[in-house]
Amino acid sequence: MRAVIFVNGTILDYTQLVRWLRPDDYLIAADGGARHCAALGILPAVLVGDLDSITPELLAEYEQAGVAIERHPPRKDETDLELAVRRAVADGATEILLLGALGGRLDQTLANLLLPARQEWTVPILLADGRQLARVVRGGESVTIRGAEGDTVSVVPMSAEVTGITYTGLEYPLVDATLRLGSTQGVSNRMAGESATIRIASGILLVVQESGA
């Protein structure tokens, strides 16, 4: 089961967002992320958070519609998104996609980007924004990216260093390379065909693909 979590970030184009949704997705709204569900005319299965960012009118609508409400106190140690991720895992998600996780407050955006890199998650967490899809690759793992020739692919280290970086199918290949935190060497590569593979030996790497269509 794939869970899609709507986050209270900025979404400029809902037509781009719809492309990421599937009919059988398990939808979760992280507090103010409920506004994106409302804009799309869909109901989440669950609303999670301290509910300080959702309007009283929308909350009442959800309660009347039978949406499960997981309310948390305002004084808490986790963000609404982290609580929503934990709920998705507890409900049996095998993959989690975050929508609306970027924009707005810089601290929230950075926290949302770093959240998928935590070692404790038992399921992959991806993040989509517009035509971009981001995923985390950990040491010993590989990822195959499918798209179109010319799609932009960037890799960004999320640990002190990432070793053994090897990718094929990109315009500028790397073989057993090491990138350190803060390096921009892996930014703005391009797919040479319809697929590419990225492998790493150790560390945590963020892989971002931007589709041209």
Side-chain angles (χ1 to χ4, degrees), residues 177-201:
T178 296
L179 295 180
R180 292 177 173 80
L181 188 64
S183 171
T184 60
Q185 181 181 345
V187 174
S188 294
N189 210 322
R190 294 190 181 278
M191 292 185 64
E194 295 182 350
S195 68
T197 300
I198 298 173
R199 301 179 181 86
I200 67 172

Side-chain angles (χ1 to χ4, degrees), residues 1-4 20-22 24-26 93-97:
M1 175 184 75
R2 188 179 79 159
V4 174
W20 300 110
L21 297 177
R22 304 172 185 165
D24 59 347
D25 284 332
Y26 181 64
T94 55
E95 180 179 284
I96 298 172
L97 176 66

Side-chain angles (χ1 to χ4, degrees), residues 49-187:
D50 57 19
L51 310 187
D52 66 342
S53 300
I54 184 173
T55 66
E57 295 78 13
L58 187 54
L59 178 57
E61 179 183 326
Y62 279 7
E63 290 173 332
Q64 185 175 6
V67 173
I69 309 294
E70 183 180 311
R71 187 189 296 264
H72 291 264
R75 296 177 67 88
K76 59 188 188 305
D77 294 329
E78 303 93 349
T79 62
D80 294 323
L81 172 55
E82 182 172 348
L83 292 169
V85 170
R86 294 190 185 281
R87 175 62 184 257
V89 173
D91 287 352
T94 55
E95 180 179 284
I96 298 172
L97 176 66
L98 310 181
L99 298 177
L102 306 181
R105 285 174 47 182
L106 180 59
D107 56 345
Q108 293 277 14
T109 294
L110 290 172
N112 294 346
L113 279 170
L114 291 171
L115 185 66
R118 286 175 51 169
Q119 293 284 358
E120 68 182 67
W121 302 123
T122 57
V123 301
I125 302 174
L126 291 77
L127 188 155
D129 181 67
R131 298 194 306 271
Q132 301 175 90
L133 182 67
R135 71 198 84 190
V136 169
V137 181
R138 304 181 188 280
E141 296 179 349
S142 66
V143 62
T144 298
I145 302 168
R146 305 193 186 282
E149 182 178 352
D151 281 0
T152 301
V153 177
S154 295
V155 300
V156 180
M158 300 187 77
S159 56
E161 68 175 21
V162 182
T163 67
I165 304 171
T166 300
Y167 39 72
T168 57
L170 297 180
E171 186 175 342
Y172 306 105
L174 284 181
V175 178
D176 199 26
T178 296
L179 295 180
R180 292 177 173 80
L181 188 64
S183 171
T184 60
Q185 181 181 345
V187 174

